[in-house]
Amino acid sequence: MAGNTGSIVGVNGNMITVAFEGAVSQNEVGYARLGELRLMSEVVRIRGRHADLQVFEDTAGLGIGDQVEFTGELLSVELGPGLLAQIFDGLQNPLPQLAEQCGFFLRRGTYLKALPRDVRWAFTPTAKVGDKLTASESLGHVPEGIFEHRIMVPFGWRGTATVVEIAPPGSYTVEQCIAKLKDEQGQVRDVAMLQRWPVKVPIEAYAERLRPTEPLTTKVRIVDTFFPVARGGTYCIPGPFGAGKTVLQQITSRYAEVDVVVIAACGERAGEVVETLREFPELTDPRTGKSLMTRTVIICNTSSMPVAAREASVYTAVTLASYYRQMALNVLLLADSTSRWAQALRETSGRLEEIPGEEAFPAYLESVIAGFYERGGVVRLKDGKTGSVTIGGSVSPAGGNFDEPVTQATLKVVGAFHGLSRARSDARRFPAIDPLESWSKYPSLVPTDMVESARRVLRDGNDVGQMMKVVGEEGTSLEDFILYLKAEYLDSVYLQQDAFHDVDCATPAERQRYVFGFIDRLLQKPIGVKDKAAARRLFHQLTQATKDWNRAGMGSTEFRELEEKLDKLVAEVS
Amino acid sequence: MQKVYHRVESIAGNVITIRATGVTYRELAEVESRAGTSLAQVIRLNGDEVALQVFAGARGVATDAQVRFLGHAMHVPFSDALLGRIFTGGANPRDKGPVLNEGLIDIGGPSVNPAKRIIPRRMVRTGIPMIDVFNTLVESQKLPIFARAGEPYNPLLARIALQAEVDIIILGGMGLKHDDYLFFRDTLEESGALSRTVMFVHTASDPVVECLLVPDISLAVAEQFALQGKRVLVLLTDMTNFADAMKEIAITMEQIPSNRGYPGDLYSQLAARYEKAVDFDTAGSITILAATTMPGDDVTHPVPDNTGYITEGQFYLSNGRIEPFGSLSRLKQLVNGKTRDDHRAIMSGMIQLYAQYKETIEKQSMGFRMSEWDVKLLKYGERFEREMMDLSVNIPLEQALDGGWRLLADCFEPIESGLPSKLIQRFWPKTAAVTAA
């Protein structure tokens, strides 16, 4: 389809209308010519001989009659070794390289190759001549950082591929042919390490999709114990501004027990990305001892970068995440924030003059959000191993009101809901996940009945607290008052966690089970004190000691001493 | 190619439509009519139909107006000659100075590559304890002041501008009352800061389209100074007027409104401006302070709400004071660990005590009995408001911290303060008992 061109007949913001002659397909990529520049754009609607394209760049300077070249390809990303530790924009342009070429500012119309073409990778073949393989089965592998990066039969391969020729061990660039494969029609094709995949199409080259059941430890206590996330599951974090969505996501990206983290900074502040960008290379991953950056890919399309590319960025991110899943790795995708992505859809829809749905979001908002979260999941690969993509999306509801369309559409399709509340963040209770409103459908790493009884204490304690506001402390019975203190205790020593403390910031699964066991026993225990003042004093002491306990390294002398102190405090009153 | 078109097809609001060819998107045109000459910008192309937004407003534009396309997009002159000058939103001189037209630069340029930004690390000293101590302003931060109409946000902006140690001040006024414009001009002039200031002022009586240009022009100029290594402070007041101007144009263009009539791209439009705040790797910086008035004192109104998601914190101005609750500087952690050892402890300790004071006030108003502790809190809270929160207080950070310790010592026993004992040993005033007596 080379040489298929059209000409512009209308410009409205980042939307151009193009008259074309040949065949054009939906979501096909086109380049609008502006002098020397070629501005990337995507077909979003076709009407008769006119196609509407959203341009991924500023459209200033385009005029009627300017040429648009259609490529015949859908918006695609490059997959291959060299993606880890990279920083891309929403269209997979590597930002550091772009800075080298263009200086301080992003320059429109400049597109670079996502994967370096001159780097050589040490390839070890595993397939043999004559092997019959299908899409996504291994041909060999190369080392990439801490992983064995699988080189696979291209995901789009139809039917079986017979290995005709395979390269001997040695170093190759991503574009060099490493195997010749014959398809069912007898045609022989060259295969390189690099393959391209359209971002809006899910990768489905696996044996079967499984139910997510295994917990993913994020090391945030309130999440892992109360509102757990499963490997291959999905969750969302809605919250008003300033409630700590981004801090929570940053903590998770550092400490979560997964192999690869893909961060999609979608329409948010550039400053936050910069913190990740500059700090991650300095931080070590406790699991591997290497820099955190070696397991991270950042897709960054901040709020001032072109809106249409923002929409593409979440798809780019999920495609890269799925690629590493195909190597039997556990991948976590953090999208901050999906509301900005939904707003990008709204802007496009508005320019297309589509009939608006609620709050002017397009009517297809729900199905688009559902389609995105459905790309998460745990799968059994063709070699029997499993890999997963877990998706955590933050949502920024207008006015902090969870009734708005994006939050509601998201809640329908995720497995866990971590709702952040303004009241908790104002009271400096972090993480500000509301323990009464949030929920999760995944299994916790502590036994369910323990979680249930702890949640009952929280609920009942909260009820007593509400009542006390009306009748005062003097109108509350000692029994109820103790229940209230228990709930407050659980909240301050377990639900709250100090993100800036070296030990308290991340609690491993084993420690959570251990500490929660202690707390559970305490919550179950009847407390024998003579009056409210004594009860308050006791819980002050307990809170102080447990907080110190949280700050002590597990297994240290300090840890044991504090545990003894706590046991003694509890023994005295029961 | 100086072709002149003189048939206007339609006029709606400030947008006129003509039929023309060879026109490019965002190109400028000159519209000459009996009402005078004005610039206009192409905002939509549809076949040979060209929609133009007329900067001076379409009032008085006749159907036979002459439209001449200039072949370039909007740009502003940039040189050191800008300093000390005052311009309109359309970048024409508002003072009686000469017209500048050298070193033209584009406005609304591309965004900064995130890989070229650095983590901000320098504090901006303002002399206002509520900012310096409790919500430290950081160079390259973008921070709005949320206030009801009638709050003294403009004097506050002017004060910060005068006291902050920056090289260049750029004031972007949108929908400013003429009095406020004169206030800014006179204040800057009296303090001698006018010579390092550039003002782009759109007053409430100027054409609304010029209001839209103010942030872009101000920030484009700021960017050039920052690239020369200057530390630039940009004041934008009032961004709600800018958003309202956008709403007006969007509705004229028959765009589908999203929330309370505002266009669906409000977030992106505001972000494109605020994100110009930057600390360049190997060059200067841009700090943005903006005023955002909250219609009906409602923080969930689309303008403050979207702003809050974009900016790095906010100052709430209420009853002439910066409220400690709700106000937030997201970047303060980056600098307040390096100022003085007691800074962070004083910051959180004093606020927690003030929160307790607020509870006591509530209890008092409900007629509950005041305990000894309550009495102490009442004394503390009342002095805290007077000595720390009052906007007339103007002292450097170190003095404010010392004042904080003295205030605590006058009201409480050391252990009641809740501060770490190590700091108490070092900083608790030794003569406290005497002053307290």
Side-chain angles (χ1 to χ4, degrees):
Chain A
M1 230 182 289
N4 187 10
T5 57
S7 64
I8 295 178
V9 295
V11 184
N12 178 19
N14 67 350
M15 194 69 67
I16 54 176
T17 308
V18 178
F20 62 93
E21 289 296 327
V24 167
S25 60
Q26 173 76 327
N27 294 104
E28 168 171 355
V29 171
Y31 287 94
R33 308 272 314 237
L34 176 60
E36 293 286 288
L37 296 176
R38 292 164 79 236
L39 307 181
M40 194 168 172
S41 43
E42 182 188 13
V43 177
V44 290
R45 186 169 66 187
I46 298 167
R47 277 183 172 176
R49 303 317 287 170
H50 285 178
D52 291 314
L53 281 82
Q54 58 172 351
V55 185
F56 295 119
E57 309 277 357
D58 185 16
T59 49
L62 285 178
I64 303 301
D66 284 352
Q67 294 296 302
V68 175
E69 297 163 11
F70 291 99
T71 60
E73 279 180 19
L74 301 182
L75 183 64
S76 304
V77 290
E78 295 186 345
L79 301 174
L83 292 170
L84 290 177
Q86 254 304 2
I87 301 144
F88 296 112
D89 75 359
L91 303 173
Q92 221 196 4
N93 284 304
L95 288 171
Q97 283 83 324
L98 212 57
E100 272 169 31
Q101 199 172 329
C102 308
F104 286 122
F105 298 96
L106 299 170
R107 198 192 299 149
R108 63 178 175 166
T110 311
Y111 306 106
L112 300 179
K113 302 267 189 251
L115 293 174
R117 293 302 197 260
D118 48 353
V119 177
R120 291 180 167 272
W121 300 89
F123 176 69
T124 315
T126 51
K128 291 182 295 295
V129 173
D131 281 1
K132 289 196 185 307
L133 302 172
T134 55
S136 90
E137 284 188 283
S138 263
L139 294 168
H141 51 81
V142 300
E144 183 187 13
I146 44 181
F147 303 110
E148 210 168 72
H149 186 115
R150 283 192 196 177
I151 307 300
M152 297 168 270
V153 176
F155 301 145
W157 192 280
R158 282 173 204 211
T160 51
T162 315
V163 181
V164 178
E165 218 182 300
I166 182 109
S171 40
Y172 302 90
T173 65
V174 288
E175 278 180 323
Q176 271 180 307
C177 168
I178 48 110
K180 286 188 193 296
L181 303 179
K182 190 166 72 181
D183 66 14
E184 285 172 349
Q185 281 73 45
Q187 240 183 342
V188 177
R189 276 156 55 190
D190 287 359
V191 172
M193 295 187 206
L194 173 111
Q195 60 169 312
R196 298 180 63 81
W197 187 261
V199 293
K200 288 188 180 164
V201 181
I203 296 174
E204 282 170 346
Y206 45 76
E208 64 172 330
R209 219 177 132 171
L210 307 170
R211 206 157 67 90
T213 48
E214 201 190 328
L216 183 154
T217 312
T218 62
K219 297 187 189 158
V220 178
R221 287 190 294 260
I222 184 168
V223 171
D224 293 345
T225 305
F226 286 86
F227 311 108
V229 178
R231 282 195 173 153
T234 50
Y235 69 101
C236 70
I237 315 174
F241 62 82
K245 286 185 297 295
T246 306
V247 174
L248 194 57
Q249 291 242 16
Q250 275 176 351
I251 300 265
T252 317
S253 67
R254 282 181 194 190
Y255 302 115
E257 294 206 335
V258 289
D259 302 313
V260 175
V261 178
V262 180
I263 299 174
C266 167
E268 286 287 310
R269 305 176 184 91
E272 288 162 0
V273 186
V274 175
E275 276 179 43
T276 312
L277 231 75
R278 301 264 168 182
E279 283 175 4
F280 266 36
E282 317 286 310
L283 299 169
T284 28
D285 181 0
R287 279 157 47 90
T288 59
K290 295 268 175 57
S291 146
L292 261 183
M293 205 60 201
T294 56
R295 70 159 198 183
T296 313
V297 186
I298 300 174
I299 311 291
C300 150
N301 194 273
T302 58
S303 53
S304 60
M305 287 157 81
V307 172
R310 190 194 297 169
E311 196 231 328
S313 70
V314 296
Y315 291 107
T316 301
V318 76
T319 307
L320 298 189
S322 309
Y323 177 57
Y324 280 97
R325 175 187 71 187
Q326 293 298 110
M327 295 173 208
L329 297 175
N330 292 306
V331 188
L332 174 64
L333 166 63
L334 295 169
D336 187 14
S337 137
T338 55
S339 294
R340 305 299 161 225
W341 164 54
Q343 284 177 340
L345 289 177
R346 175 166 77 183
E347 286 180 31
T348 309
S349 162
R351 294 240 161 74
L352 288 173
E353 296 177 347
E354 292 172 341
I355 294 169
E358 209 179 334
E359 286 185 25
F361 282 106
Y364 46 81
L365 177 74
E366 286 198 11
S367 58
V368 171
I369 289 180
F372 169 67
Y373 280 99
E374 272 302 304
R375 290 181 71 172
V378 51
V379 299
R380 198 161 53 76
L381 300 172
K382 288 172 178 168
D383 64 356
K385 292 190 180 155
T386 56
S388 66
V389 172
T390 311
I391 301 181
S394 70
V395 184
S396 320
N401 177 8
F402 292 173
D403 288 338
E404 57 91 44
V406 183
T407 315
Q408 288 305 316
T410 309
L411 281 181
K412 277 191 202 165
V413 292
V414 294
F417 161 58
H418 301 159
L420 303 186
S421 91
R422 166 74 74 214
R424 276 182 78 82
S425 75
D426 276 353
R428 305 283 189 270
R429 296 184 173 202
F430 289 112
I433 297 173
D434 191 320
L436 300 173
E437 301 246 317
S438 304
W439 49 259
S440 167
K441 293 176 191 161
Y442 302 119
S444 167
L445 48 78
V446 302
T448 317
D449 52 330
M450 270 159 79
V451 179
E452 271 315 305
S453 76
R455 292 193 70 179
R456 213 159 34 241
V457 170
L458 281 176
R459 235 181 349 255
D460 296 349
N462 179 63
D463 289 348
V464 175
Q466 292 299 326
M467 211 163 64
M468 247 173 18
K469 283 197 183 135
V470 185
V471 298
E473 225 174 272
E474 48 274 42
T476 312
S477 73
L478 180 60
E479 197 187 341
D480 278 357
F481 189 65
I482 288 174
L483 189 61
Y484 166 73
L485 289 176
K486 276 182 174 171
E488 282 292 299
Y489 168 75
L490 174 61
D491 188 342
S492 61
V493 306
Y494 200 81
L495 303 188
Q496 295 171 42
Q497 201 169 344
D498 185 353
F500 298 101
H501 189 273
D502 293 339
V503 176
D504 199 26
C505 61
T507 314
E510 186 202 353
R511 180 170 181 152
Q512 288 192 35
R513 289 196 197 96
Y514 191 78
V515 172
F516 194 69
F518 169 83
I519 289 173
D520 180 59
R521 284 195 297 282
L522 174 66
L523 295 180
Q524 305 288 348
K525 207 160 268 181
I527 303 285
V529 285
K530 65 177 195 310
D531 58 11
K532 285 175 193 150
R536 174 164 270 154
R537 206 162 40 246
L538 170 73
F539 275 95
H540 271 160
Q541 285 172 318
L542 279 171
T543 307
Q544 191 61 42
T546 320
K547 276 188 166 173
D548 288 342
W549 199 32
N550 282 338
R551 293 191 199 104
M554 189 164 182
S556 66
T557 342
E558 198 190 354
F559 184 85
R560 274 195 304 279
E561 281 169 8
L562 284 161
E563 191 177 0
E564 278 163 29
K565 182 177 170 189
L566 280 166
D567 285 338
K568 217 167 94 216
L569 275 171
V570 177
E572 274 169 20
V573 289
S574 39
Chain B
M1 196 190 66
Q2 282 280 19
K3 199 167 166 189
V4 180
Y5 297 90
H6 41 76
R7 183 173 160 71
V8 177
E9 298 278 331
S10 74
I11 303 175
N14 294 318
V15 179
I16 63 170
T17 319
I18 60 163
R19 291 192 181 279
T21 50
V23 179
T24 65
Y25 190 62
R26 293 270 176 78
E27 188 175 340
L28 279 192
E30 223 170 46
V31 179
E32 204 179 322
S33 179
R34 265 160 291 175
T37 309
S38 164
L39 286 179
Q41 188 173 30
V42 176
I43 54 171
R44 185 184 282 175
L45 293 171
N46 188 11
D48 61 352
E49 234 179 64
V50 180
L52 287 156
Q53 178 169 286
V54 185
F55 292 170
R59 186 170 303 140
V61 172
T63 48
D64 63 350
Q66 299 189 358
V67 180
R68 203 174 289 116
F69 287 95
L70 304 179
H72 62 76
M74 180 73 188
H75 46 211
V76 287
F78 173 78
S79 68
D80 281 348
L82 286 176
L83 294 170
R85 297 291 307 275
I86 304 171
F87 300 91
T88 64
N92 296 315
R94 185 181 276 281
D95 52 10
K96 306 220 160 51
V99 176
L100 298 175
N101 41 24
E102 53 190 38
L104 294 172
I105 52 163
D106 287 342
I107 68 164
S111 67
V112 175
N113 188 328
K116 282 300 228 182
R117 289 172 180 260
I118 49 175
I119 300 181
R121 55 187 189 278
R122 271 198 297 258
M123 167 180 174
V124 178
R125 286 170 176 266
T126 65
I128 299 168
M130 285 315 286
I131 297 178
D132 287 359
V133 179
F134 298 101
N135 279 304
T136 320
L137 185 64
V138 181
E139 201 177 311
S140 90
Q141 190 161 20
K142 40 187 181 287
L143 205 85
I145 297 168
F146 286 172
R148 222 170 347 152
E151 292 285 350
Y153 50 88
N154 283 333
L156 178 62
L157 281 179
R159 236 188 92 189
I160 297 174
L162 292 181
Q163 299 198 340
E165 300 151 326
V166 292
D167 303 323
I168 308 275
I169 300 166
I170 293 180
L171 176 82
M174 287 152 281
L176 271 191
K177 274 202 314 228
H178 205 265
D179 306 359
D180 287 336
Y181 151 58
L182 295 177
F183 161 79
F184 272 114
R185 193 192 64 190
D186 296 347
T187 317
L188 290 165
E189 193 150 26
E190 278 160 27
S191 63
L194 200 59
S195 59
R196 55 186 170 101
T197 306
V198 189
M199 293 169 76
F200 295 96
V201 175
H202 163 263
T203 65
S205 58
D206 295 338
V208 68
V209 184
E210 288 192 357
C211 178
L212 282 175
L213 296 172
V214 169
D216 284 337
I217 292 181
S218 309
L219 290 162
V221 169
E223 212 161 64
Q224 292 304 316
F225 279 119
L227 286 172
Q228 294 181 353
K230 300 273 186 4
R231 301 158 71 184
V232 188
L233 175 68
V234 180
L235 306 175
L236 298 173
T237 173
D238 157 3
M239 286 300 274
T240 307
N241 289 337
F242 169 71
D244 287 341
M246 235 160 23
K247 175 166 80 172
E248 201 177 312
I249 300 292
I251 288 181
T252 315
M253 292 295 293
E254 297 175 357
Q255 279 182 22
I256 296 160
S258 69
N259 209 340
R260 296 207 213 178
Y262 287 95
D265 61 357
L266 180 65
Y267 175 86
S268 302
Q269 294 287 358
L270 288 172
R273 274 77 192 187
Y274 281 114
E275 282 285 326
K276 291 272 178 198
V278 62
D279 203 344
F280 283 116
D281 199 359
T282 68
S285 68
I286 302 175
T287 311
I288 300 180
L289 272 179
T292 297
T293 48
M294 298 185 288
D297 209 8
D298 175 14
V299 74
T300 65
H301 180 276
V303 180
D305 187 52
N306 279 297
T307 305
Y309 279 117
I310 295 164
T311 53
E312 291 151 338
Q314 63 277 332
F315 293 149
Y316 272 96
L317 196 61
S318 146
N319 299 319
R321 295 192 193 121
I322 296 177
E323 271 296 313
F325 311 112
S327 294
L328 169 74
S329 160
R330 286 172 192 265
L331 302 187
K332 66 184 172 199
Q333 259 82 9
L334 298 175
V335 296
N336 63 12
K338 293 177 283 189
T339 46
R340 216 170 86 174
D341 293 345
D342 55 337
H343 187 168
R344 283 185 180 171
I346 284 282
M347 170 185 89
S348 47
M350 290 193 84
I351 293 294
Q352 275 162 9
L353 286 166
Y354 184 69
Q356 292 190 37
Y357 158 74
K358 283 280 184 189
E359 279 173 26
T360 299
I361 286 280
E362 229 168 77
K363 262 193 344 198
Q364 192 183 32
S365 66
M366 284 167 75
F368 283 108
R369 209 166 53 88
M370 292 288 99
S371 68
E372 202 182 319
W373 174 241
D374 288 330
V375 175
K376 281 184 175 181
L377 282 173
L378 286 175
K379 177 181 172 194
Y380 167 79
E382 189 258 329
R383 279 192 57 184
F384 181 79
E385 288 182 350
R386 199 174 60 229
E387 294 170 23
M388 289 283 178
M389 286 174 69
D390 202 297
L391 279 184
S392 66
V393 180
N394 186 359
I395 44 177
L397 169 73
E398 288 71 20
Q399 214 176 318
L401 291 173
D402 291 341
W405 284 107
R406 207 160 41 250
L407 174 52
L408 289 171
D410 287 352
C411 301
F412 304 106
E413 299 293 318
I415 58 158
E416 290 171 336
S417 69
L419 295 171
S421 20
K422 274 186 199 151
L423 289 175
I424 289 181
Q425 272 170 16
R426 259 179 74 190
F427 290 103
W428 197 269
K430 302 292 178 276
T431 53
V434 185
T435 14

